[in-house]
Amino acid sequence: MRKRILIGLIPLLVLLVAIGCYAIVLFFQFGGAIDTILHENYDSIVASQNMKESAERMDSALCFTLAGESDRARRMYDENLPVFEQSLNKELNNITLPGEQDLAFKVRDLHRQYVQLAQTFLATPDLARRRDMYFSQMLPLFTEIKDTAQAILDLNQSNMFRADHSARDLSATSIRYMLIAMVLGLVGALGFVHLLLRSILTPIHALTRFSRELGEGNLDQVVPVVSGDELGQLADAFNKMASKLRAYRQITSDEILQARQMTEITFSAFPDPIIAFDSRGTVNFKNPAAEKLLQKLHIDDHLPEQLTDQVESVLKGGDDYIPVSFANAICVRPDDKETFFLPRVIGIRGDKGTIFGGAAILQNVTRLRLVDELKTNLVSTVSHELKTPLTSVRMALHLLLEETIGELNSKQSELLLAARDDSERLLVMINDLLDLARLEAGTEHMMIEPRTPGDLVASAIAASKDVADRNRIHLVPVLAEEALPLVAVEWQQISHVFSNLIHNAVKHSPPNEDVIVKAAREDGGIRFSVTDKGGGIPAKFQPYLFEKFYRVPGAERTGAGLGLSIAREIVRAHHGSIGVKSVPGQGSEFYFDIPFYDTATGLQLQSAPAASPAKSLRATNTPRS
């Protein structure tokens, strides 16, 4: 292929070089002709013209003497004489044409005679003699000088016209030759391009057609190899590639078939419905459990409408939807029987994070949800039933300690005091269990109202001041410098959160230390935090702090481990979130976020993670007076 292109280009290169050389010669000839015209003829024409003009002015000066202007005539004559002689010398040094030298010498001789007569003329005082001398000698001599200078000018102009005509003839001839060369070069180039295109593009078109077929999945393509050049090598490489692709497709098809069969067998073994869908939300796979469920719901090829929002969010690039609370379960009625599924929607992403589908896994939590409700109801019922006999026990202990039915010795008093303290602690535990059960069940009817963050912090510190004073702890309020927006809270419940966090901070802080109660703006809401300078909490225990009945190993066991769990449920009911930041040896910061209160609508702006519907506040917004 390289040799073929080179052979086709050599004639064109030779023609291009020939045209270039010919153009250089023509430019050189044109340059010489122009230089001749400018250097030889043009200079002589200018000199002749100047001689004529200066001779006319000298003759005019002599005429002025006849009019009695001798001084003016003398000045004018002296000014133009050097100009004439300078132009004459220029002409004598630029004689280039035949006959030009004789004319120049004639002008020189006539000029010498004119100068001598002019001197005599100007020196003659008699006006009549001057007039006679001017008309008889000076004027004929001036006329002959002028005519001879004109002859020199005409001679050079004629030569310029001849040179111009010669240059025009040369230009016309050159244009004809260049046009002939261009036509020949164009014909040769078109012929070469036609042959080259035919020898190159024909195999390329065939290769392109076969490649298109290959891209559409038709791998049974064989490109004919008609030459041993680069195109032939490319065709051979294409045939080898197609052969390997056919072999690879066979292997890959077998592997894909096996993988699909294994996947279908694996998913078929799952008791939970699994539904796969593409980027448009169209179902393209479902395991037997899902197929059975969708048939009962009469939506064979569609997802349940309860999953529409979650699926759209995931397909738009959002995070996977993986709920952990029974409150997020969806209810369906196959066979008119209420069944609860906890859905998980997971996006299927490519290497660059592009979503091209997803899968929905429906975990049947009907029994688990029922067990959870039974557990909550059982705790509530048992706690409520225990509260009545416990109240009687507390009354009996108080009566005995008041000694209204008889005196007690010191040992009896000590035992009764211990029993009273245990009953009080048991009452607090039962009340916490009841509160937690009501919060989880969502049966608490609360009255929420807008409050300023500063008011909440001040009220929380005032309510816990006695506990802090007993432990020699200083409660320090910290508020942002700018005015903070309102938040909508139920004070009795939110004060329980403040109380729990502040009491824990006081209990774990060394004496004479500060506990900071802070309110600041944070991501569309207000963050309230309580920071102590206690021993801190190891990172491995922090994820479990808000679970029910959990206490950090090694910590003092003074409660049932329900305080932080209750605080979490209260904050969630306010559409907020709660957390902790702690470093061992540097103290802890417990915080909770409450969304802003929208003064226009009287509702919370739910920018913080919202609680589940079953656990949100049943509240009536009442403006503060």
Side-chain angles (χ1 to χ4, degrees), residues 322-528:
I322 307 179
V324 295
S325 173
F326 292 143
N328 299 109
I330 62 173
C331 179
V332 296
R333 294 179 175 275
D335 301 328
D336 293 331
K337 180 180 179 182
E338 194 174 68
T339 305
F340 291 89
F341 291 96
L342 189 63
R344 290 177 173 84
V345 181
I346 301 171
I348 303 175
R349 297 171 173 84
D351 295 337
K352 297 183 179 180
T354 304
I355 296 288
F356 60 87
I361 304 172
L362 305 178
Q363 181 182 2
N364 193 328
V365 295
T366 305
R367 292 174 58 92
L368 296 175
R369 189 173 180 275
L370 179 61
V371 170
D372 184 70
E373 290 180 354
L374 290 175
K375 180 261 299 180
T376 302
N377 294 335
L378 177 63
V379 170
S380 177
T381 302
V382 171
S383 299
H384 187 272
E385 294 299 326
L386 287 176
K387 194 172 182 179
T388 301
L390 181 59
T391 301
S392 300
V393 172
R394 289 177 63 246
M395 291 180 60
L397 290 174
H398 280 287
L399 290 174
L400 289 174
L401 287 172
E402 291 175 358
E403 298 183 352
T404 57
I405 58 177
E407 296 184 357
L408 301 173
N409 57 36
S410 59
K411 187 64 176 176
Q412 290 172 336
S413 297
E414 181 179 354
L415 291 174
L416 288 174
L417 286 172
R420 186 189 65 180
D421 292 341
D422 288 341
S423 65
E424 295 294 337
R425 188 162 55 251
L426 183 59
L427 179 62
V428 171
M429 186 183 303
I430 290 175
N431 286 333
D432 286 345
L433 287 172
L434 289 173
D435 290 341
L436 184 61
R438 284 194 294 270
L439 288 169
E440 288 182 342
T443 59
E444 195 73 17
H445 186 81
M446 300 181 184
M447 298 292 292
I448 67 172
E449 57 182 351
R451 300 283 294 267
T452 64
D455 185 18
L456 294 177
V457 171
S459 299
I461 290 178
S464 302
K465 189 175 186 304
D466 293 340
V467 176
D469 291 342
R470 286 197 302 269
N471 289 272
R472 293 179 292 167
I473 296 297
H474 307 292
L475 299 179
V476 180
V478 176
L479 298 175
E481 294 182 359
E482 75 274 9
L484 297 175
L486 298 175
V487 292
V489 297
E490 205 284 330
W491 166 242
Q492 293 298 328
Q493 291 296 331
I494 214 69
S495 65
H496 185 88
V497 179
F498 274 112
S499 175
N500 185 275
L501 299 183
I502 292 175
H503 287 189
N504 286 343
V506 168
K507 181 172 62 176
H508 293 93
S509 295
N512 300 318
E513 287 288 351
D514 294 339
V515 169
I516 299 175
V517 183
K518 181 179 179 181
R521 187 187 295 265
E522 180 75 21
D523 293 338
I526 300 298
R527 171 163 291 186
F528 299 93

Side-chain angles (χ1 to χ4, degrees), residues 16-277:
L16 181 62
V17 171
I19 293 175
C21 293
Y22 182 63
I24 293 173
V25 172
L26 288 179
F27 291 149
F28 180 78
Q29 292 178 354
F30 285 140
I34 294 172
D35 181 69
T36 299
I37 293 172
L38 293 177
H39 181 67
E40 298 177 355
N41 303 124
Y42 181 73
D43 289 347
S44 295
I45 291 173
V46 172
S48 300
Q49 188 68 34
N50 289 336
M51 285 189 293
K52 287 174 60 180
E53 292 178 357
S54 58
E56 288 176 351
R57 291 189 180 94
M58 287 189 294
D59 180 68
S60 298
L62 296 180
C63 290
F64 287 164
T65 61
L66 298 178
E69 297 287 340
S70 300
D71 294 337
R72 183 180 178 185
R74 186 69 184 184
R75 286 195 305 272
M76 188 173 180
Y77 179 83
D78 292 340
E79 289 175 358
N80 287 277
L81 181 60
V83 175
F84 184 90
E85 291 177 348
Q86 183 179 1
S87 299
L88 178 59
N89 291 330
K90 187 175 182 181
E91 171 59 24
L92 291 172
N93 295 322
N94 192 41
I95 296 173
T96 58
L97 299 176
E100 186 177 4
Q101 183 176 10
D102 296 336
L103 293 174
F105 287 166
K106 182 179 179 181
V107 172
R108 181 188 63 185
D109 295 339
L110 292 173
H111 175 64
R112 288 175 182 175
Q113 296 177 22
Y114 187 83
V115 171
Q116 292 176 359
L117 289 173
Q119 294 296 330
T120 304
F121 176 83
L122 293 174
T124 301
D126 186 9
L127 182 61
R129 187 179 176 185
R130 280 185 180 179
R131 184 178 294 109
D132 181 63
M133 185 178 178
Y134 173 78
F135 286 105
S136 62
Q137 298 181 29
M138 299 298 297
L139 183 58
L141 189 59
F142 158 70
T143 302
E144 190 173 2
I145 292 173
K146 184 178 178 181
D147 292 341
T148 306
Q150 181 65 39
I152 295 174
L153 189 146
D154 294 339
L155 180 64
N156 282 276
Q157 282 184 341
S158 298
N159 188 67
M160 285 182 66
F161 291 147
R162 288 193 298 273
D164 179 68
H165 183 72
S166 177
R168 290 179 180 274
D169 291 341
L170 180 61
S171 175
T173 303
S174 301
I175 291 174
R176 286 195 297 271
Y177 289 159
M178 293 288 287
L179 288 175
I180 293 172
M182 289 176 61
V183 170
L184 293 177
L186 182 61
V187 171
L190 291 177
F192 168 72
V193 169
H194 175 71
L195 294 176
L196 187 63
L197 291 178
R198 184 175 180 181
S199 61
I200 294 178
L201 293 184
T202 301
I204 290 178
H205 287 160
L207 188 61
T208 302
R209 185 175 67 256
F210 291 137
S211 299
R212 189 180 296 111
E213 293 288 336
L214 189 68
E216 294 176 355
N218 186 9
L219 301 183
D220 299 325
Q221 302 295 322
V222 178
V223 179
V225 180
V226 296
S227 64
D229 56 9
E230 289 82 353
L231 290 176
Q233 296 174 6
L234 179 61
D236 184 61
F238 178 87
N239 293 333
K240 292 180 180 179
M241 179 188 69
S243 176
K244 291 183 178 180
L245 285 176
R246 287 192 293 270
Y248 179 75
R249 182 178 65 177
Q250 183 62 38
I251 297 174
T252 305
S253 299
D254 295 341
E255 292 179 351
I256 292 175
L257 181 60
Q258 294 177 3
R260 181 178 180 84
Q261 291 175 349
M262 290 295 296
T263 302
E264 291 178 353
I265 292 173
T266 302
F267 284 159
S268 299
F270 274 78
D272 295 326
I274 300 175
I275 306 171
F277 48 89

Side-chain angles (χ1 to χ4, degrees), residues 532-567:
D532 63 60
K533 297 181 181 178
I537 303 170
K540 63 180 179 180
F541 300 135
Q542 294 178 19
Y544 311 104
L545 290 177
F546 299 96
E547 294 184 0
K548 291 179 285 190
F549 306 109
Y550 182 80
R551 286 178 290 196
V552 177
E556 181 181 357
R557 297 179 179 271
T558 57
L562 294 173
L564 291 177
S565 181
I566 293 174

